[in-house]
Amino acid sequence: MKKNYPIISLYVSLAAFIALALTLLTRGAMALGIFTPAKPETIDLALLISGALVILGLAVYAILAPDSVRIFLGGRQARYGSNALVMVLAFTGIVLVTNYLAFKNPKTLVDMTEDKSNTLAPEMAKTLQELPSKMTAVGYFSPEIQRDQAEQLLSNMKNKSQGNFDYRFADPVANPVQAKSDGVTGDGKIVLEMSGRKEIADYADQTELLRAMNRLLNPEARAVYFLAGHGELNIEESGQAGLSRASETLTSKNYTVKTLNLLADNAIPQDARAVIVAGPQQPLTANEVKLLMDYTLRGGALIVMEGPVPLTDFGDKPDPLADSLDRVWGIRLRNDFVVDQAGTNPLQAIGAKYSSASPATNAMALLTIFPMARSIELTQKTDQGPITLTSLVETSPSSQAWGETDFSSLEQSNATVSLDPEDTPGPLTLAASAESIKDKGRVIVFGNAIFASDEGFDAYGNGDLFINAVDWCAGADAPVDITVTPPTQRVFMPPSQLQMIAIIFGSICVLPGLALGAGAFAWLSRQRRG
């Protein structure tokens, strides 16, 4: 039985070596982000244990069978084999150490890509080299989306910053408290921080990051006012009637959030970058509407969120605000409510199509949910002169959605509705914007306010849409002069049938045949030499 002990130690060492190889593969998958175990530290522990067992098994064998080890090491094959082993280990070690040093000390010596995709724009490089203090970036990317492009861009920025820029990544799903604290409302955003101030880039792009860096380096007061006095959603309350999540997020983006009572103040504050009318339950007076329209015609910005009339206390009273939006800005709030068969609840309109022409929606990737919304029509006939009208959010063209005008169904439980001739067939506009070409006044109108309330803010892309709308109205999308090289588009051209036959013949017959022929030639040469 004692004679078997050395063999058993070799078997243990072999099993440990197989476990070590599998553990290394798992560790590599973790490093590439392919696999994320529940407890990553157990993989490192398994790596140490399997490596120790390999060494321990060989050591036990050497102790129990010293003669076998001596014969093996003294043999001809062992001498040549050990030389080859030393060469392989030395080469592998050099490669590993070189890659480790290069990974830990990234330096871009030369950009070999055709379109210089790893080269920063001169404006970005200059900004990074002139950073007055340390700037850090946190990329909020969940495992659901790719972060390779963002990681490459942030790495290039770090290399150009002369030590003043660093970054890391965080999972907004696994760390919701941290994401909320940073004002992050969605996936794929990058938070920049310097000297205690933060700015958010909505996506990983040089222009967007440089725009956020400029706001961080050149802070200025940005006040937005929520209108009060008509039963609007309250920025200090939570729940369906509150906008505390929207207010917190705007504050985290360095906005100053205030309320405005036009009935009492009778003027728009000078520092207002935007005025928001969020779900009034009573119509605004003609004087208030005049103040708001005059403000927008002087280059101000207005966001209006009005739901279906039966859900308010408007009754049969006129709505001067809706009339002025139609007459001055060409945006008409239809007197209906949206029925959308795309979701499980037909009274929840699904925003599925976004305008790629507007900065407020061109980066939207998630759906938006509008509970009890009214549809919007772009009339194109305005008193304002040339303006740019944009349908920002629409229901899906493939879903059956329409603007229902029979409000009696809202008063009955389990009532059924159908598309009638007087209804408006889909796809329907749920949000629209208008911008004056001459005065640069901006207006965004939503047929719903609940989507931005605390109950709806974190649902899908609702929070992103509202914050993007405020950013656009407040001018946070100011263009930056940046020189970006357009990427080279590459198209895979599959080989022809003849080329495919040549590839298969060469890989299966020619290359193996050359190797066999060389081996046969070497064998024959040795036989002739004796």
Side-chain angles (χ1 to χ4, degrees):
M1 183 65 183
K2 291 182 179 179
K3 294 181 180 179
N4 294 331
Y5 286 162
I7 300 301
I8 292 174
S9 63
L10 279 182
Y11 285 154
V12 170
S13 184
L14 177 61
F17 179 79
I18 295 173
L20 178 65
L22 294 175
T23 310
L24 283 172
L25 288 175
T26 305
R27 196 69 182 81
M30 290 169 59
L32 294 174
I34 301 174
F35 171 68
T36 303
K39 295 182 178 179
E41 62 275 10
T42 57
I43 301 299
D44 295 335
L45 182 61
L47 199 64
L48 292 174
I49 293 175
S50 57
L53 285 176
V54 170
I55 297 173
L56 183 62
L58 293 175
V60 170
Y61 180 81
I63 292 172
L64 298 179
D67 294 339
S68 299
V69 175
R70 192 179 303 111
I71 293 172
F72 174 77
L73 296 177
R76 178 171 173 269
Q77 291 182 343
R79 287 200 304 274
Y80 289 117
S82 61
N83 290 337
L85 180 62
V86 168
M87 294 293 291
V88 170
L89 291 177
F91 177 77
T92 305
I94 291 172
V95 171
L96 290 176
V97 170
T98 303
N99 279 274
Y100 177 79
L101 294 176
F103 179 76
K104 288 295 183 183
N105 303 278
K107 298 290 182 185
T108 304
L109 299 178
V110 60
D111 187 354
M112 301 293 288
T113 58
E114 180 183 353
D115 54 3
K116 301 300 178 187
S117 57
N118 291 324
T119 300
L120 295 175
E123 297 82 1
M124 172 64 86
K126 184 173 183 293
T127 302
L128 289 166
Q129 290 166 0
E130 295 177 354
L131 285 177
S133 59
K134 186 80 173 181
M135 179 181 289
T136 58
V138 181
Y140 282 93
F141 286 74
S142 72
E144 301 296 326
I145 62 173
Q146 293 289 331
R147 71 180 199 189
D148 296 349
Q149 183 181 353
E151 191 159 11
Q152 182 63 57
L153 176 56
L154 294 174
S155 176
N156 293 339
M157 292 172 63
K158 180 180 179 180
N159 295 340
K160 278 288 183 182
S161 68
Q162 300 177 349
N164 276 333
F165 182 86
D166 204 353
Y167 69 94
R168 64 183 176 85
F169 284 92
D171 184 350
V173 178
N175 303 284
V177 176
Q178 181 186 348
K180 183 179 179 181
S181 174
D182 281 343
V184 173
T185 58
D187 218 344
K189 298 182 182 300
I190 299 174
V191 178
L192 301 176
E193 182 174 7
M194 188 178 73
S195 303
R197 297 183 71 255
K198 296 178 182 177
E199 283 290 346
I200 299 176
D202 289 330
Y203 45 91
D205 174 81
Q206 285 199 64
T207 303
E208 177 65 11
L209 279 167
L210 187 58
R211 187 182 291 129
M213 291 171 70
N214 285 339
R215 293 198 301 268
L216 203 57
L217 294 169
N218 305 288
E220 58 178 342
R222 294 188 297 163
V224 294
Y225 287 82
F226 284 81
L227 194 67
H230 313 82
E232 293 90 347
L233 302 186
N234 195 321
I235 60 173
E236 296 180 353
E237 292 184 4
S238 57
Q240 194 175 33
L243 289 169
S244 63
R245 281 286 295 122
S247 176
E248 290 170 1
T249 306
L250 289 173
T251 303
S252 70
K253 296 191 67 174
N254 300 314
Y255 283 100
T256 301
V257 181
K258 301 178 181 179
T259 57
L260 171 65
N261 191 325
L262 277 179
L263 288 171
D265 299 335
N266 199 34
I268 306 292
Q270 292 292 327
D271 64 344
R273 298 288 290 268
V275 177
I276 302 170
V277 184
Q281 295 300 301
Q282 293 284 347
L284 278 64
T285 66
N287 182 58
E288 290 176 298
V289 173
K290 182 177 184 304
L291 290 172
L292 290 172
M293 290 300 113
D294 290 346
Y295 165 67
T296 57
L297 296 179
R298 295 194 305 269
L302 175 67
I303 296 176
V304 177
M305 299 186 287
E306 278 197 11
V309 172
L311 301 182
T312 69
D313 298 327
F314 281 39
D316 296 330
K317 302 173 189 173
D319 185 353
L321 179 57
D323 294 341
S324 294
L325 290 172
D326 184 5
R327 176 174 50 79
V328 179
W329 290 99
I331 300 177
R332 178 178 299 162
L333 283 160
R334 290 197 185 102
N335 190 21
D336 60 11
F337 67 95
V338 177
V339 177
D340 190 349
Q341 304 285 1
T344 55
N345 185 349
L347 296 182
Q348 290 187 340
I350 308 296
K353 182 182 177 185
Y354 302 101
S355 168
S356 60
S358 172
T361 50
N362 60 7
M364 289 294 298
L366 298 175
L367 299 173
T368 40
I369 311 295
F370 296 85
M372 289 305 301
R374 65 198 293 186
S375 66
I376 292 172
E377 180 182 359
L378 305 183
T379 64
Q380 303 289 341
K381 297 178 181 178
T382 73
D383 294 344
Q384 175 59 9
I387 62 173
T388 301
L389 280 169
T390 305
S391 176
L392 295 178
V393 185
E394 296 179 3
T395 57
S396 172
S398 60
S399 73
Q400 187 179 8
W402 69 89
E404 177 64 49
T405 54
D406 181 10
F407 294 116
S408 62
S409 59
L410 295 176
E411 301 172 356
Q412 307 169 16
S413 60
N414 301 322
T416 58
V417 292
S418 59
L419 176 60
D420 299 317
E422 60 272 22
D423 299 331
T424 306
L428 300 170
T429 295
L430 302 173
S433 69
E435 181 178 17
S436 168
I437 296 176
K438 178 182 177 183
D439 303 311
K440 302 302 179 185
R442 292 179 171 182
V443 172
I444 288 184
V445 179
F446 293 94
N448 174 266
I450 302 174
F451 85 98
S453 69
D454 285 5
E455 286 194 356
F457 189 81
D458 293 312
Y460 297 91
N462 286 13
D464 284 345
L465 179 62
F466 176 75
I467 297 300
N468 291 349
V470 175
D471 282 343
W472 181 73
C473 282
D477 66 319
V480 294
D481 186 14
I482 187 168
T483 308
V484 178
T485 305
T488 301
Q489 300 294 329
R490 301 185 185 281
V491 179
F492 174 69
M493 302 294 291
S496 64
Q497 188 174 11
L498 183 61
Q499 291 171 330
M500 184 59 74
I501 293 173
I503 292 172
I504 295 173
F505 179 76
S507 57
I508 294 179
C509 299
V510 176
L511 294 178
L514 289 174
L516 289 174
F521 178 76
W523 181 79
L524 287 173
S525 298
R526 289 185 179 181
Q527 292 297 318
R528 288 174 181 172
R529 288 198 300 268

